[in-house]
């Protein structure tokens, strides 16, 4: 019985390895990948039932320069936490736009950068809240997006998770902040203020009380994606930044200018 059990275990390990190798072998181009994102304007969002934003445009145009067509069907826009987990668990997955942090560095293969980012903590202008040290935030209720860089930075700074209130959409947090159900909101500054406007709120009613991190956005590939496929997109982005249009502006900057 012991020998038979060990034989089945060994067979299971071999089959798992073969299936995993087969999944990786099927990925030979950017066309074979699924690109996971969230509603995070102006980088990535949904417009007219299709993915849009400067990160989406950069992805499509960089791939095109490499002779590859990325279709809208390859891009999945859903809550951040779901996209984050999907990329970690699927061998043919890419996550974007993703802030490159020390916490995430070894979890993915990175391509970019796409653009700059500034993660901040916002409060209501009339709140009177002053944050001098990160631990000061432990005295308040902080709204975060689950698995977002804002949440991760707060944890790295020693802010207890008990002080955080998670949500899937920043509009929910903005409304809670205005209704005083939370005291602070941690998110990318530009995206947070864009969303408050979309929710019918005046962005001028919020102020930055703490800067969590200045960084850059990237495409984060599952670590099992072959390196040649990762490099395929990197070379396309490098060309976007080096090649210029008729006006003498880099193709990359021309895309960014569409969303300013």
């Amino acid at each position: 019985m012991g020998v038979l059990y060990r034989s089945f275990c060994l067979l299971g390990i071999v089959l798992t390895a073969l299936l995993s190798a087969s999944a990786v072998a099927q990925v030979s181009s950017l066309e074979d990948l699924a690109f996971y994102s969230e509603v995070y304007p102006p980088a990535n969002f949904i417009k007219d039932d299709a993915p849009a934003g400067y990160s989406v445009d950069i992805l499509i145009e960089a791939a095109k320069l490499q002779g590859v067509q990325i279709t809208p069907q390859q891009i999945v826009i859903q809550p951040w936490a779901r996209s984050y987990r999907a990329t970690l668990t699927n061998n043919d997955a890419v996550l974007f736009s993703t802030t490159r942090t020390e916490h995430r560095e070894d979890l993915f293969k990175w391509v970019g950068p796409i653009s700059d980012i500034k993660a901040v903590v916002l409060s209501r202008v009339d709140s009177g809240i002053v944050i001098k040290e990160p631990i000061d935030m432990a005295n308040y209720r902080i709204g975060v997006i689950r698995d977002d860089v804002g949440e991760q930075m707060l944890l790295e700074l020693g802010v207890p998770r008990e002080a955080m209130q998670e949500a899937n959409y920043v509009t929910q947090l903005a409304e809670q902040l205005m209704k005083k159900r939370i005291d602070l909101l941690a998110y990318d500054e530009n995206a947070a203020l864009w969303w408050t406007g979309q929710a019918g709120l005046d962005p001028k009613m919020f102020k930055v009380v703490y800067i969590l991190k200045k960084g850059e956005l990237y495409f984060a590939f599952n670590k099992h994606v072959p390196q040649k496929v990762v490099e395929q997109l990197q070379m396309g982005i490098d060309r976007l930044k080096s090649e210029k249009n008729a006006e003498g502006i880099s193709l990359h900057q021309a895309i960014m200018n569409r969303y300013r």
Side-chain angles (χ1 to χ4, degrees):
M1 186 71 175
V3 173
L4 183 60
Y5 177 77
R6 287 194 297 272
S7 297
F8 274 117
C9 287
L10 179 59
L11 178 60
I13 292 172
V14 171
L15 287 174
T16 300
L18 288 174
L19 288 172
S20 179
S22 174
V24 175
Q26 291 174 5
V27 176
S28 59
S29 170
L30 294 170
E31 295 172 317
D32 302 320
L33 298 173
F35 295 87
Y36 293 94
S37 189
E38 65 167 336
V39 176
Y40 183 61
N44 19 267
F45 56 98
I46 298 175
K47 182 178 181 180
D48 299 327
D49 296 322
Y54 65 75
S55 291
V56 174
D57 290 356
I58 287 171
L59 170 64
I60 292 172
E61 294 303 319
K64 188 181 297 184
L65 288 175
Q66 296 302 108
V68 177
Q69 181 178 359
I70 300 294
T71 66
Q73 290 72 30
Q74 288 178 254
I75 302 173
V76 180
I77 296 183
Q78 59 188 6
W80 174 255
R82 288 170 58 188
S83 288
Y84 192 85
R85 286 194 295 271
T87 305
L88 286 173
T89 56
N90 293 301
N91 293 346
D92 62 348
V94 183
L95 180 68
F96 76 101
S97 303
T98 313
T99 305
R100 189 170 183 172
T101 65
E102 183 177 352
H103 170 77
R104 297 172 175 170
E105 183 65 31
D106 295 330
L107 298 177
F108 305 99
K109 293 180 179 180
W110 301 90
V111 167
I114 301 170
S115 68
D116 297 330
I117 185 176
K118 183 166 70 172
V120 302
V121 177
L122 298 168
S123 74
R124 298 181 308 278
V125 169
D126 62 358
S127 69
I129 294 175
V130 177
I131 304 297
K132 295 182 179 179
E133 301 291 339
I135 198 62
D136 294 343
M137 288 182 276
N139 298 314
Y140 300 99
R141 297 163 297 175
I142 312 168
V144 298
I145 299 299
R146 187 177 295 109
D147 291 330
D148 179 67
V149 65
E151 179 184 54
Q152 294 176 351
M153 287 302 301
L154 289 171
L155 291 171
E156 289 178 15
L157 290 170
V159 179
R161 185 175 290 279
E162 290 74 20
M164 302 177 204
Q165 183 169 315
E166 294 181 333
N168 286 326
Y169 302 100
V170 73
T171 46
Q172 298 170 338
L173 296 178
E175 291 171 354
Q176 290 171 11
L177 185 58
M178 287 308 303
K179 294 177 181 178
K180 301 184 180 180
R181 294 175 182 170
I182 59 175
D183 306 300
L184 301 170
L185 191 165
Y187 204 61
D188 170 59
E189 182 179 13
N190 290 332
L193 296 178
W194 190 92
W195 269 116
T196 58
Q198 294 298 305
L201 304 173
D202 184 358
K204 294 180 181 178
M205 299 177 72
F206 302 92
K207 67 176 181 178
V208 175
V209 293
Y210 194 82
I211 297 175
L212 291 170
K213 184 179 181 64
K214 293 181 180 179
E216 295 172 315
L217 295 175
Y218 281 76
F219 293 96
F221 285 65
N222 180 283
K223 294 194 73 173
H224 291 94
V225 175
Q227 188 61 29
K228 68 175 183 178
V229 179
V230 176
E231 292 172 356
Q232 192 176 31
L233 183 59
Q234 184 64 68
M235 287 188 288
I237 291 178
D238 291 344
R239 288 183 61 186
L240 276 180
K241 294 180 178 180
S242 63
E243 297 183 13
K244 298 182 179 181
N245 61 16
E247 299 175 349
I249 301 173
S250 73
L251 301 180
H252 178 273
Q253 188 60 52
I255 291 174
M256 299 298 297
N257 289 347
R258 298 173 195 164
Y259 296 91
R260 295 190 185 283

